Amino acid sequence: MQRREFTQAVLMAGTAATGLLGASHAQAQATFKEGSDYLKLGRPAPVDAPADKVEVIEFFWYSCPHCNAFEPAFDAWAKRQPAHVVVKRAPVAFQDSFVPQQRLYYALEALGKVEEMHRKVFHAIHTERQRLATQDQIADWVAKQGVDRAKFLEAYNAFGVAGKARRATQLQDAYQVDGVPSLGIAGKYFTSGSLAQTLPRSLLVADHLIAQSRKG
């Protein structure tokens, strides 16, 4: 989903969920090129992971259909990563209207509900066609999922959640994110479906960059 137009016509919505499983051995052994498959940042982005870890950040937006399609493949990929890889998500805010969904993600994180609720948010927006764009809409929906509304709103409006939302926007800018879903690796590299040609291939590029970062 592009920063300005909020479209990414080069990607097929259904590809991300299944394409990675069909990636050929030849693809896995491919040589990935800086400037075409990925970008190297001119200035390093902030990294929170320890020095012996490689941090990977998925930039996403709940209302993005491509992020919705990519989520199952990304989640499966993230769960396969070894201990030296730290995988995080960062909800973007290309404009102020994105901030409520940023806070939604970090409120769920504060309540320990991301694993349970993250996929449900995508489903509500893209399958059930529910509008989750304001604090009240989000809180009403979360309450229907069995989460205490008052506790959710307390987390949603907490200083810590606001700070994490601002941090996500800072990371988005540091990685020069121009569309989602996309991946930042080790504070040094950036790739996306449009750069890597497909979203599944962006995960192969990420594997390559993780290995490259481990080598120093």
Side-chain angles (χ1 to χ4, degrees), residues 19-72:
L20 182 63
L21 298 177
S24 68
H25 180 73
Q27 283 179 304
Q29 299 300 315
T31 299
F32 301 109
K33 297 180 180 179
E34 180 183 343
S36 55
D37 296 306
Y38 65 91
L39 302 176
K40 186 172 182 179
L41 303 183
R43 177 181 298 178
V47 173
D48 293 328
D52 61 341
K53 309 284 187 183
V54 179
E55 182 177 87
V56 178
I57 301 174
E58 184 215 13
F59 295 97
F60 77 96
W61 176 38
Y62 276 126
S63 290
C64 165
H66 307 296
C67 298
N68 176 52
F70 186 51
E71 174 56 29

Side-chain angles (χ1 to χ4, degrees), residues 60-64 68 101 104-105 108 118 121-122 125-126:
F60 77 96
W61 176 38
Y62 276 126
S63 290
C64 165
N68 176 52
Q101 290 187 1
L104 164 59
Y105 176 79
L108 292 177
H118 186 63
V121 178
F122 281 117
I125 293 170
H126 298 282

Side-chain angles (χ1 to χ4, degrees), residues 2-216:
Q2 294 297 321
R3 178 188 292 264
R4 294 183 178 84
E5 297 84 3
F6 308 127
T7 60
Q8 200 169 15
V10 296
L11 304 174
M12 298 297 290
T15 301
T18 59
L20 182 63
L21 298 177
S24 68
H25 180 73
Q27 283 179 304
Q29 299 300 315
T31 299
F32 301 109
K33 297 180 180 179
E34 180 183 343
S36 55
D37 296 306
Y38 65 91
L39 302 176
K40 186 172 182 179
L41 303 183
R43 177 181 298 178
V47 173
D48 293 328
D52 61 341
K53 309 284 187 183
V54 179
E55 182 177 87
V56 178
I57 301 174
E58 184 215 13
F59 295 97
F60 77 96
W61 176 38
Y62 276 126
S63 290
C64 165
H66 307 296
C67 298
N68 176 52
F70 186 51
E71 174 56 29
F74 176 77
D75 187 56
W77 177 87
K79 289 175 178 175
R80 290 197 300 271
Q81 295 310 301
H84 65 261
V85 179
V86 177
V87 180
K88 299 180 179 179
R89 293 179 172 90
V92 298
F94 292 154
Q95 58 189 36
D96 289 345
S97 64
F98 286 35
V99 173
Q101 290 187 1
Q102 275 188 318
R103 288 193 174 215
L104 164 59
Y105 176 79
Y106 288 117
L108 292 177
E109 183 180 73
L111 295 171
K113 295 285 187 180
V114 169
E115 186 69 23
E116 175 188 347
M117 301 288 290
H118 186 63
R119 194 80 66 87
K120 289 183 179 180
V121 178
F122 281 117
H123 182 80
I125 293 170
H126 298 282
T127 302
E128 297 175 349
R129 302 298 180 186
Q130 296 196 46
R131 182 168 173 78
L132 303 182
T134 68
Q135 174 181 296
D136 286 344
Q137 290 170 343
I138 289 168
D140 288 345
W141 178 81
V142 168
K144 290 177 182 177
Q145 311 312 305
V147 178
D148 184 274
R149 193 178 195 276
K151 287 183 178 179
F152 173 78
L153 284 173
E154 182 179 1
Y156 181 94
N157 289 304
F159 179 80
V161 163
K164 286 187 174 183
R166 287 193 298 271
R167 173 70 168 176
T169 302
Q170 290 168 357
L171 282 171
Q172 159 197 314
D173 293 340
Y175 273 103
Q176 301 174 44
V177 176
D178 60 357
V180 288
S182 54
L183 303 171
I185 298 97
K188 301 177 183 178
Y189 307 107
F190 175 81
T191 191
S192 64
S194 55
L195 279 168
Q197 301 174 42
T198 68
L199 283 169
R201 193 168 182 272
S202 72
L203 295 176
L204 299 177
V205 175
D207 287 335
H208 167 75
L209 295 172
I210 289 168
Q212 186 165 295
S213 298
R214 286 278 285 174
K215 293 175 182 177

